[in-house]
Amino acid sequence: MPRFRAILDTMPAYKPGKAVLTADGRSYKLSSNESPYDPLPSVVEAIAEGARQINRYPDPGCAQLTEAIAQRYDVPVEHVALGAGSVTVAQQLFETVGEPGAEVIYAWRSFEAYPLLADLAGAVSVQVPLADEEHDLDAMAAAVTDRTRMIFVCNPNNPTGVSIRRDRLTAFLDKIPDNILVVLDEAYREYVRDEDVPDGLDFYRERRNVCVLRTFSKAYGLAGLRVGYLIGHEPVAGAVRKVMVPFAVNHLAQIAACASLQAEAELLTRVETVVKERTRVREALIAQGWTVPPTEANFVWLRLGERTMDFAAACAVEGVAVRPFAGEGARVSIGDPEANDAFLKAAAAFL
């Protein structure tokens, strides 16, 4: 048999959100943090027109999209790096620092791809347990050693939805040496409504060791096309571009992302609808008797412990797919009102 890296024998596969289907055809997929809405007509039209050129390779440098992102956020084009979804940009980041002995710090539980990416890059994961469903920033700062290369801060945190406010994040960054890269993973930034939750780009502009990850998969509704990006100072963005797989962001993805930026005002109106549904769902759950932490993302989190898998099974009976983490809890994405009502019915029955 061929010989593979030993780490593969210990790595669990990434588990994407699944759909469920009842006998009478009901199916509400709330297991993946996707937009519940179809792409805007203008974006679909741009994709359809772009399909005429798919016999050609995509622009390997994503020049038009890079320029559009740079203009949108008023940053130099040299400070933008792209990848096939923000998880792939995260992988590129791990590859820039990963080598034997290098440590990467992140909260746990947080985005479940972090440990997989660290293992693949040959880095050592330093997982710092959450405190009351949020990052324990003091413990994370205390975990820094001379082997620390990078720190991931998921804000809002996936899967709990809890966000870090400005004063706490500022105090944390003040403790981190300038030669350690701090990645603010802001995949859900567009859903944030708490004014005390900072925009990571403010910190990037002030600190050369801070970069920001964002995505077109969530609020922009392009999860199926895979476009993510990083904004960081040139040494950081340049390193990330070096490890990008050639042609990773396909032609239609680049076109759709550019079209989405042009239609941003219309898209963000949809985001506001999701935010209102998020508030309705959380308040309804609390009224039922659940404890639900404040969330600034497009999902809610239920700490269920040993009841987690039973809860997921009960939801599946109603055609609702949630994202369970065995022994911990369940993350439930915000869908359209019909899907949310089906979930609330299942939650009430289980409780």
Side-chain angles (χ1 to χ4, degrees), residues 169-182:
L169 189 53
T170 300
F172 169 74
L173 292 173
D174 286 343
K175 299 176 183 178
I176 305 304
D178 292 341
N179 63 346
I180 295 175
L181 179 62
V182 180

Side-chain angles (χ1 to χ4, degrees), residues 283-290 343-349 351:
E283 289 179 349
L285 288 169
I286 291 172
Q288 289 178 7
W290 294 96
F343 162 63
L344 289 171
K345 177 183 177 183
L351 194 62

Side-chain angles (χ1 to χ4, degrees), residues 73-89:
Y73 295 107
D74 191 24
V75 301
V77 292
E78 295 83 5
H79 288 199
V80 179
L82 286 100
S86 61
V87 65
T88 302
V89 183

Side-chain angles (χ1 to χ4, degrees), residues 22-336:
T22 64
D24 60 358
R26 286 173 292 137
S27 181
Y28 305 102
K29 188 185 177 190
L30 304 182
S31 54
S32 296
N33 295 329
E34 306 156 328
S35 170
Y37 302 108
D38 296 339
L40 292 175
S42 61
V43 176
V44 174
E45 183 178 349
I47 293 172
E49 182 63 28
R52 299 177 185 274
Q53 293 88 41
I54 60 172
N55 58 308
R56 305 293 184 186
Y57 284 109
D59 173 9
C62 307
Q64 184 177 358
L65 178 54
T66 299
E67 177 66 32
I69 293 170
Q71 289 185 2
R72 167 64 180 82
Y73 295 107
D74 191 24
V75 301
V77 292
E78 295 83 5
H79 288 199
V80 179
L82 286 100
S86 61
V87 65
T88 302
V89 183
Q91 181 181 24
Q92 293 164 225
L93 280 163
F94 275 95
E95 290 175 355
T96 65
V97 302
E99 60 186 10
E103 294 179 350
V104 178
I105 299 172
Y106 51 87
W108 197 251
R109 175 171 292 274
S110 190
F111 182 34
E112 63 187 290
Y114 294 159
L116 305 179
L117 299 179
D119 288 349
L120 285 173
V124 177
S125 284
V126 179
Q127 298 181 349
V128 178
L130 296 174
D132 296 325
E133 310 294 11
E134 61 182 316
H135 286 61
D136 188 341
L137 295 180
D138 290 337
M140 291 176 70
V144 171
T145 71
D146 58 2
R147 297 180 298 278
T148 305
R149 297 290 187 86
M150 184 167 64
I151 302 173
F152 264 79
V153 177
C154 189
N155 197 32
N157 185 47
N158 177 13
T160 65
V162 178
S163 295
I164 305 167
R165 294 189 168 185
R166 183 178 304 277
D167 290 348
R168 291 186 63 234
L169 189 53
T170 300
F172 169 74
L173 292 173
D174 286 343
K175 299 176 183 178
I176 305 304
D178 292 341
N179 63 346
I180 295 175
L181 179 62
V182 180
V183 183
L184 303 180
D185 190 344
E186 297 187 337
Y188 305 95
R189 174 64 202 174
E190 291 82 5
Y191 298 101
V192 173
R193 293 297 178 270
D194 185 340
E195 294 182 357
D196 286 335
V197 176
D199 184 332
L201 292 176
D202 295 340
F203 292 106
Y204 138 80
R205 297 182 199 278
E206 300 168 354
R207 303 168 189 256
R208 294 181 62 83
N209 68 323
V210 173
C211 67
V212 176
L213 279 186
R214 297 217 178 143
T215 182
F216 285 92
S217 294
K218 315 301 182 187
Y220 290 89
L222 300 183
L225 286 177
R226 314 305 303 128
V227 193
Y229 60 96
L230 170 146
I231 296 178
H233 291 273
E234 200 283 329
V236 178
V240 170
R241 286 193 296 269
K242 284 183 179 180
V243 297
M244 178 184 180
V245 174
F247 308 114
V249 183
N250 72 65
H251 177 63
L252 296 183
Q254 294 183 40
I255 287 174
C258 287
S260 294
L261 285 173
Q262 292 175 1
E264 188 174 54
E266 190 175 359
L267 280 166
L268 293 182
T269 299
R270 292 181 167 189
V271 171
E272 194 59 40
T273 301
V274 173
V275 169
K276 290 178 180 178
E277 276 294 288
R278 177 184 73 192
T279 300
R280 181 178 76 88
V281 169
R282 181 171 181 264
E283 289 179 349
L285 288 169
I286 291 172
Q288 289 178 7
W290 294 96
T291 298
V292 188
T295 174
E296 293 293 325
N298 65 334
F299 52 84
V300 294
W301 169 254
L302 299 177
R303 177 66 68 175
L304 292 151
E306 296 304 317
R307 299 183 299 159
T308 297
M309 302 312 293
D310 290 340
F311 177 78
C315 289
V317 170
E318 298 295 332
V320 179
V322 301
R323 186 62 176 271
F325 298 91
E328 297 183 63
R331 188 195 70 197
V332 187
S333 303
I334 300 300
D336 60 28

